Amino acid sequence: MTKRIEDFTVTGNRFINKDIFLLELQAEGKLADLKPGQFVQVRVDGSPETFLRRPLSIHDADFERNTIKLLVQLAGKGTETLSRLQTGRKLNLIYPLGNSFTIPEQDEKILLIGGGCGVAPLLFLGKHLKSLGHSPEILLGFRNRERMIEYDEYMSIGPVSLATEDGSVGEKGFVTQHSLLAGKRFNRIYCCGPDRMMKAVAQYAFANGISCEVSLENLMACGFGACLCCVVDTVDGNQCTCIDGPVFNINKLKWQNSESA
Amino acid sequence: MTKRIEDFTVTGNRFINKDIFLLELQAEGKLADLKPGQFVQVRVDGSPETFLRRPLSIHDADFERNTIKLLVQLAGKGTETLSRLQTGRKLNLIYPLGNSFTIPEQDEKILLIGGGCGVAPLLFLGKHLKSLGHSPEILLGFRNRERMIEYDEYMSIGPVSLATEDGSVGEKGFVTQHSLLAGKRFNRIYCCGPDRMMKAVAQYAFANGISCEVSLENLMACGFGACLCCVVDTVDGNQCTCIDGPVFNINKLKWQNSESA
Amino acid sequence: MAELGISIGSLSFKNPVITASGTFGNGSEFDDFFDVSRLGGIVLKGTTLEPREGNSYPRMAETASGMLNSVGLQNKGIDYFEKNIYPRVSSYNTNVIVNVNGSYVEDYVALAERINKLDRIPAIELNISCPNVKTGGMAFGTNPETAREVIRKVRAVYSRVLIVKLSPNVTDITQFARISEEEGADSVSLINTLLGMAIDAAAMKPSLSTVTGGLSGPAVKPVALRMVWQAANAVKIPVIGMGGIRTVNDAIEFFLAGATAVQIGTASLIEPGTSVDILEGIGEYLDSKGFGSISEIIGYINRKQERTI
Amino acid sequence: MAELGISIGSLSFKNPVITASGTFGNGSEFDDFFDVSRLGGIVLKGTTLEPREGNSYPRMAETASGMLNSVGLQNKGIDYFEKNIYPRVSSYNTNVIVNVNGSYVEDYVALAERINKLDRIPAIELNISCPNVKTGGMAFGTNPETAREVIRKVRAVYSRVLIVKLSPNVTDITQFARISEEEGADSVSLINTLLGMAIDAAAMKPSLSTVTGGLSGPAVKPVALRMVWQAANAVKIPVIGMGGIRTVNDAIEFFLAGATAVQIGTASLIEPGTSVDILEGIGEYLDSKGFGSISEIIGYINRKQERTI
Ligand SMILES: Cc1cc2nc3c(=O)[nH]c(=O)nc-3n(C[C@H](O)[C@H](O)[C@H](O)COP(=O)(O)OP(=O)(O)OC[C@H]3O[C@@H](n4cnc5c(N)ncnc54)[C@H](O)[C@@H]3O)c2cc1C
Ligand SMILES: Cc1cc2nc3c(=O)[nH]c(=O)nc-3n(C[C@H](O)[C@H](O)[C@H](O)COP(=O)(O)OP(=O)(O)OC[C@H]3O[C@@H](n4cnc5c(N)ncnc54)[C@H](O)[C@@H]3O)c2cc1C
Ligand SMILES: Cc1cc2nc3c(=O)[nH]c(=O)nc-3n(C[C@H](O)[C@H](O)[C@H](O)COP(=O)(O)O)c2cc1C
Ligand SMILES: Cc1cc2nc3c(=O)[nH]c(=O)nc-3n(C[C@H](O)[C@H](O)[C@H](O)COP(=O)(O)O)c2cc1C
Ligand code: FES
Ligand code: FES
């Protein structure tokens, strides 16, 4: 998968809730080969505070139309500047970056768990799994009903369970408290969301011997392995989130009993 | 004249030749009291290379409509960013700054000499002089016909003579070589343009005992006298272009015989 | 509302926001923008015994997130100051501090003696760190022996609050902070500008008439913060932190690192109201975090480290 | 087309654009973006005798026009290098330089001896300026005696081109440039990162696990350029300039100040193609100004000053 540096054209940009917006980008020519779990490094022009590029997961990709989608949460100046990008403007990306989720060869009972904006890479993954004949279930956690996003999109992939902190939709509580996990046995979990949630899900997976991959969001400078800034402490020592990840099997991470870390 | 910091709204922005654009700005409320020769300090948002504000002369002011105009030449990133400002956007200014041209109390034979984008403060000055009953003449120098700007505007003030380096319009040569200066006697000259041109005009004024004021464009950090970065060497020592100027009588400057400096 | 008052030596400041020398004129340049008396203090522009013209134009160059200056202490001298500036700044209801400069030790001492007589000037900032003068200035602040000598001799004649302004252009900032403390200074302020340079590639010549100049602005903040943290951990006298402060969060970083007060420099040139905006922001920050006073966050990261060790 | 070739000691470079250690991986990270062999040289990431894990995460913080890092020389050690990296980088048709690090003088010497045997490594860059390791690193480069000792001992065992990488965290950079020259270094390269720091005001804790880290990027350019200018005027050996170079004009400034070659660091992390873009731009600049070779502009502002005196 050759990395490229390319200008994309903004073909859509809209807020889907108070804090999260969806950017649709059109490649100039043919989209590079992409896999679920990979990310792009976006150059944010016109934001003096944003010196480095910003890493964003590939939320969806359409190889017919040569478009990708990014699901972005307002975090600071960089994302704020992106949120104001108008249709027709160019956006410079380095892509595709990072490894990708491991796709099972046989039929397995698969669960995708996402929290907040961490659902970003899971849509592309879910669609991909479905296209390969898998039947993943989906468990999403949000703060409340207002924060819920893209429910319909995930429904088109498979059955969706919901957890909200205030119980305004779905079950009340965190995803790890959801009855789905008590009731059903899964063979494989893919998880992306806040650190604390991923660590809680990892504990569940460890305890139940379930294969589990998580997607990390460490601070990055380059995104392609040149600077060694983005390391995570693994059983094989410090590894780069940008090239050895962002997807890691929890067995690689030193997360055993680290829920409260 | 109290200095203010205010957001103006861009009500117009268009190129009037390849390099020069005209920004029209609307004050939120009533425009501050302004005098010809004064300038504004513009904050250029969204340009990482532009750390400091940018000083620009007040090209025109309309106290009925509470608008001002800025005539800006593309010089670097700051002005380039301004040139792309869309109608409706805000622009933050500190204004009004600097001293102003000395307005004669009696009738005098007045000549305004401008070169290139240096004509900027002369339009406001010319209109002001005319409104006070003076009948200034105008001598403008440009590189060539394509570079000529706002001829009609100046015609509405008084007779306009032109000099171009290639003779494509008006007389061929620099403003100081124009036949107007050989033929007529003026009592008072106001001049703004490239340094070299102002120094040449100053020599002419010195030689003919004509009262002459020039408007300088030194590099500035603050624009309101706080940093002492913008000094010019005068007979009274280093003075700040931003508060003791930008308008200086040539007798104050050490420009005697400095044409080639 | 959290308590913002702090003390430097025997001097009380109603809040810890002070403007930095050379970037705030003599205060009056800001009268149109806000009430200068709201600030904890203001440091007036660098003053010398005799009038000085400073360096030739060009004296300023813009850099990435910063600027270089080589103003070179242009000022009208202490006589003019006493007659024309002192009466006016005396009316401000804030601590008015004079930034004291000289080419020789004797100049510093003579100037400090003069200012010691001015009742409405409760403190001086001894500038041994100006990079833009040929003699004196930074030469004092980068040599431990001369630094010690000038501080000692000024301390002997100056009875009010003595703040020593340190140069960042040294291998070990703590050495100079310690010397200041040992010689009886009430406080150190840092950083002055980093010695830097720019060249106009198109014109193929230095951007400043002096070739080198002093770098300031957000670009230097990481270096400034590091030095303030080092100095605050090396001495017991209060440290006044500055260098690149532009936002409330910037200022908070300096308090957390150990600064008792902050100075706002270059930012005031671009947004004249920066200092009062930051002043308001500090109160909001403390309130939002539930702190009752500014003193609770001064040196917080150091105390926290001790706790976890 | 202007001639771009330069020499450092006995080593020829087809052009004066080199990538900076720690920001260019081991070259292959850039293979997708351009042909690495087009560059004058590449400096590989900091290497030590034994493998190193570096510092804990977080090791990076963004700052105004720059970044702090405290990677701390993570690398797999010289054995791994010889076996896995050396064969691959040997295929590049450019000067491949290893950045040599150690905690003790003996480490540096042992490592230099090992690399001396690698035919396809024509030069080493002796890093006595890493701010991110507890022992060694910057401690060597900020103390004249230890700097002299490590350079002397490495020179004794290393027969190819020896470049000494200097720390900017010193009072007088020329002292260290002179020591390098006296001890037989073929060149000095500067600057390494400025020691800096950042605090997360919201979280009330340092942004880096190590509290302090090294500042790089456009923010530091004015300081870097000043030091390169000072060093180039202090020694006769060629100076390799770096620190904040992002555009062609930035690079030109360093040549005009006296640098014989430039290194591109942080900029490559953001725009991977910066080094080749600058390479092309230098040719265009020389052509547009009517210069026949890069050597005509090296130190131009110094020669010009001499001329006008
Ligand atoms: C591989 C990868 C994929 C990502 N995918 C997405 C995505 O699909 N959608 C999305 O909204 N975000 C994603 N992120 C996070 C995103 O990169 C940051 O939110 C963004 O860079 C913030 O930029 P900013 O300028 O808006 O905020 P800043 O001003 O840079 O930061 C605001 C606050 O957020 C913190 N912060 C910023 N970046 C990170 C980070 N990476 N980890 C932890 N804290 C951080 C800062 O410390 C600061 O406190 C991803 C990150 C990585 C590494
Ligand atoms: C009082 C005053 C009034 C001015 N009025 C006008 C006006 O009405 N219209 C107008 O177009 N311009 C005017 N200028 C000049 C204008 O401020 C600069 O052209 C502008 O700041 C350039 O910004 P930039 O970011 O586009 O270019 P930069 O990237 O900052 O500079 C581009 C190039 O121009 C040079 N340069 C920039 N500013 C100056 C300057 N002030 N003097 C000499 N060289 C400079 C730089 O050194 C550089 O080589 C005025 C300047 C002053 C001081
Ligand atoms: C234009 C200018 C003039 C300065 N003059 C002085 C001075 O006279 N005396 C002094 O001690 N510091 C002087 N300084 C340094 C500032 O007081 C301050 O130490 C430095 O700029 C760092 O803070 P900042 O980044 O907030 O500007 C000057 C700085 C600037 C930008
Ligand atoms: C992430 C990172 C890692 C670095 N690692 C090293 C290193 O291992 N050895 C070294 O000599 N310099 C190292 N440096 C310093 C650079 O080589 C260079 O000296 C410095 O960054 C200044 O140049 P720049 O502003 O162009 O980046 C590193 C810099 C960065 C940003
Ligand atoms: S971000 Fe540079 S190596 Fe991962
Ligand atoms: S620009 Fe600051 S005093 Fe004139």
Side-chain angles (χ1 to χ4, degrees), chain A residues 39 41 218-231 239-244, chain D residues 22 29 45 60 67 269:
Chain A
F39 66 100
Q41 273 278 50
N218 276 10
L219 290 171
M220 293 182 176
C222 69
F224 51 87
C227 72
L228 307 187
C229 286
C230 60
V231 289
Q239 292 214 330
C240 283
T241 306
C242 71
I243 49 171
D244 303 314
Chain D
E29 290 79 1
K45 59 175 121 192
M60 193 275 287
M67 62 179 276
L269 305 177

Side-chain angles (χ1 to χ4, degrees), chain D residues 7-9 163 181 185-189 235-240 258-261:
Chain D
S7 295
I8 307 275
I163 302 163
E181 183 174 51
D186 296 291
S187 171
V188 288
S189 63
V235 295
K236 293 199 181 63
I237 52 174
V239 171
I240 302 174
T260 297

